[in-house]
């Protein structure tokens, strides 16, 4: 085993456990278990908020898969990845203060709480949302676990199953005992590790390649397409690349793991700080990581498995102990995404389904027990799914994100900014969004040359607006009389 | 149930303006990114010029574009974003 690489990783995992134990003290002392466990009692400051946002969407798809694709595609893929800079400011500006005010007013703890209150306690809104979160995020989570296990596998030489086991135990323990506060704090550390790690590997790679000009010349000599915006075989069209502005850029406002952070911050000062820090950090990490993938090509030609580009290049260009420290970065990226997904899915089951419909009278103690159990069981389920993994890490992951965006984007945005939007519009928009996404994804992938997610988002907007306008008057009167 | 939202809440005016700033920024960001990438990048590779070793389209679109966005976000937040209190009406217990 490669000890100089492994020891820093072990230290990293141990320090994350400490955060879990430290956070569990807050949970013990909190008067409102659900609010503390799933939301950290809305106490996030600006720096933590920025880092936890960045760490959540800068997931395995970008840290492991992304550089791998950039290695194959060249600068065109870096261009595509830069669409993610928008998330740094757009999400918080658009959800922003309005979402924070609504969430406090409604005492919402999850995205579904918000939708439920906004749309007149509609049962269908809650059930469809919970269903979509559980299904889509579950598959996203499996993809991330596979990434984490692959990484540990390639670093330590353990076989895939034991690597997966180590990863699973590490994540499960701190999420189960620590809840959201532990997730946010570990995200912060992981964000810092990612930032510094990207910087160090990037510098190391440029030096190893003999300077940027030299690397570019090597790339042009190998295949001139690598330095164009069109990909190694010219297949990245402007329309396709631009459509990623929706998928990984503005559409991110609708992801439940992101919206929950937009209701967890302390005050508007924290939000302002997070806007600036978040934009800088996400932009730098995206640019740096993907460039590393491209620059690695002349240094280490002929890597076949894209996912292993990042670990291999780090071990190639850095001394082993330093490689160990910075390789904690991709591991951090994966863990920080997985932990928040796990918590979101668990909150969908516990808060949105169990407390709302199965046992509304549950005591604090019962809720607590159910929360720990559900989080644990979910973890074990993902573990078993990840044991025999499909090979397409990035796509599995993006499939899930697109599905969630098609479901939630209009109910969230219109719910905030269009007061005539109602529960019928929301339900119609979610159903149209999910079903058209699955149909287009299966039968007409990349319709008209743009990413699959674009048309479902347009269709669900249409559905939201038409149905809201058609069913407007009858709705509020009948519903008010039946609910109140 | 005391969770009705007052659509005339003065804080929403601030929030709506900030959301519009966000949309404005993202449109500007996209145009900058797209314009430089495909405006300069569609030339034949032999005719590319290079800035700091990177192809010019890439430098202006991705590197400089990112720096410009950071500066714009800082200006917007410092000059146009107002602090509001989220918990103003927390006293009324339900």
């Amino acid at each position: 085993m490669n000890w100089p690489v492994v020891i820093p990783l072990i230290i990293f995992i141990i320090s994350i456990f400490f955060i879990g134990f430290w956070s569990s003290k807050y949970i013990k002392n909190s008067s409102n278990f659900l609010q503390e466990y799933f939301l950290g009692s809305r106490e996030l400051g600006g720096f933590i908020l920025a880092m936890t946002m960045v760490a959540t969407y800068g997931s395995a798809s970008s840290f492991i898969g992304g550089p791998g694709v950039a290695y194959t595609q060249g600068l065109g893929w870096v261009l595509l990845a830069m669409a993610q800079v928008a998330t740094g400011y757009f999400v918080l500006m658009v959800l922003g203060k309005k979402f924070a005010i609504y969430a406090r007013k409604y005492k919402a703890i999850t995205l579904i709480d918000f939708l439920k209150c906004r749309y007149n306690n509609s049962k269908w809104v809650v059930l469809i949302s919970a269903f979509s979160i559980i299904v889509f995020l579950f598959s996203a989570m499996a993809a991330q676990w596979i990434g984490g296990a692959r990484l540990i596998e390639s670093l330590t030489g353990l076989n895939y199953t034991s690597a997966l086991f180590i990863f699973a135990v590490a994540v499960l323990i701190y999420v189960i005992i620590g809840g959201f506060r532990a997730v946010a704090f570990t995200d912060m550390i992981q964000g810092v590790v990612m930032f510094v790690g990207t910087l160090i590997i990037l510098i190391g790679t440029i030096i190893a390649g003999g300077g940027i000009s030299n690397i570019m010349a090597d790339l042009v000599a190998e295949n001139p397409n690598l330095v164009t915006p069109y990909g190694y075989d010219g297949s990245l069209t402007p329309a396709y690349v631009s459509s990623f502005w929706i998928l990984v850029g503005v559409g991110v406002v609708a992801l439940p793991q992101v919206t929950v952070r937009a209701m967890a911050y302390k005050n508007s000062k924290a939000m302002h700080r997070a806007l600036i820090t978040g934009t800088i950090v996400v932009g730098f990490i995206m640019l740096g990581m993907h460039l590393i993938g491209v620059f690695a090509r002349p240094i280490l030609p002929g890597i076949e498995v894209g996912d292993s580009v990042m670990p291999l290049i780090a071990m190639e260009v850095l001394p082993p102990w330093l490689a160990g420290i910075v390789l904690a970065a991709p591991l951090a990226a994966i863990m920080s995404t997985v932990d928040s997904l796990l918590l979101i899915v668990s909150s969908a089951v516990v808060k949105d389904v169990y407390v709302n419909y199965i046992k509304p009278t549950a005591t604090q103690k019962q809720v607590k027990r159910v929360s720990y159990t559900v989080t644990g069981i979910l973890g074990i389920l993902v573990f078993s799914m990840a044991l025999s993994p499909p090979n397409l890490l990035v796509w599995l992951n993006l499939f899930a994100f697109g599905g969630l965006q098609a479901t939630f984007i209009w109910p969230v945005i219109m719910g905030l900014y269009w007061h005539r939007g109602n529960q019928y519009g929301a339900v119609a928009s979610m159903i149209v969004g999910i079903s058209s996404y699955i149909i287009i994804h299966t039968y007409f992938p990349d319709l008209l040359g743009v990413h699959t997610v674009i048309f479902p988002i347009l269709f669900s907007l249409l559905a939201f607006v038409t149905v809201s306008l058609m069913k407007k008057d009858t709705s509020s009167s009948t519903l008010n009389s039946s609910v109140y | 149930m005391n969770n009705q939202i007052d659509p005339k809440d003065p804080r929403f005016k601030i929030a709506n303006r900030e959301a519009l700033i966000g949309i404005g920024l993202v449109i500007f960001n996209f145009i900058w990114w797209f314009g430089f990438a495909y405006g300069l990048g569609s030339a034949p590779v032999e005719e590319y010029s290079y800035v700091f070793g990177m192809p010019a389209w890439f430098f202006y679109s991705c590197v400089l574009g990112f720096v410009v966005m950071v500066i714009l976000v800082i200006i917007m937040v410092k000059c146009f974003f107002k602090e509001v209190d989220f918990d103003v009406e927390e006293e009324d217990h339900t």
Side-chain angles (χ1 to χ4, degrees), chain A residues 354-386:
Chain A
Y354 178 78
V355 179
N356 276 339
Y357 298 110
I358 298 178
K359 196 161 185 191
T361 54
T363 63
Q364 189 95 320
K365 212 171 155 194
Q366 280 169 315
V367 172
K368 212 180 230 176
R369 213 178 45 226
V370 173
S371 301
Y372 291 138
T373 325
V374 167
T375 314
I377 292 175
L378 283 171
I380 294 164
L381 277 178
V382 191
F383 176 76
S384 40
M385 244 177 88

Side-chain angles (χ1 to χ4, degrees), chain A residues 154-177:
Chain A
S154 68
L155 293 179
T156 58
L158 291 168
N159 64 33
Y160 179 79
T161 312
S162 2
L164 185 66
F165 184 75
I166 295 179
F167 182 76
V169 171
V171 170
L172 279 179
I173 291 182
Y174 81 81
V175 176
I176 291 178
I177 63 171

Side-chain angles (χ1 to χ4, degrees), chain A residues 190-256:
Chain A
Q190 288 154 349
V192 173
V193 172
M194 268 155 61
F195 189 88
V196 178
T198 305
L199 185 66
I200 296 176
I201 304 181
L202 183 62
I203 295 173
T205 313
I206 293 176
I207 295 173
I212 298 178
S213 309
N214 209 358
I215 295 174
M216 288 299 156
D218 289 343
L219 289 173
V220 174
E222 192 203 330
N223 173 0
N225 283 337
L226 290 171
V227 303
T228 69
Y230 302 106
Y232 75 108
D233 59 355
S235 62
L236 293 177
T237 63
Y240 183 73
V241 174
S242 299
S243 61
F244 275 75
W245 276 74
I246 305 291
L247 184 68
V248 299
V250 299
V252 168
V253 289
L255 296 180

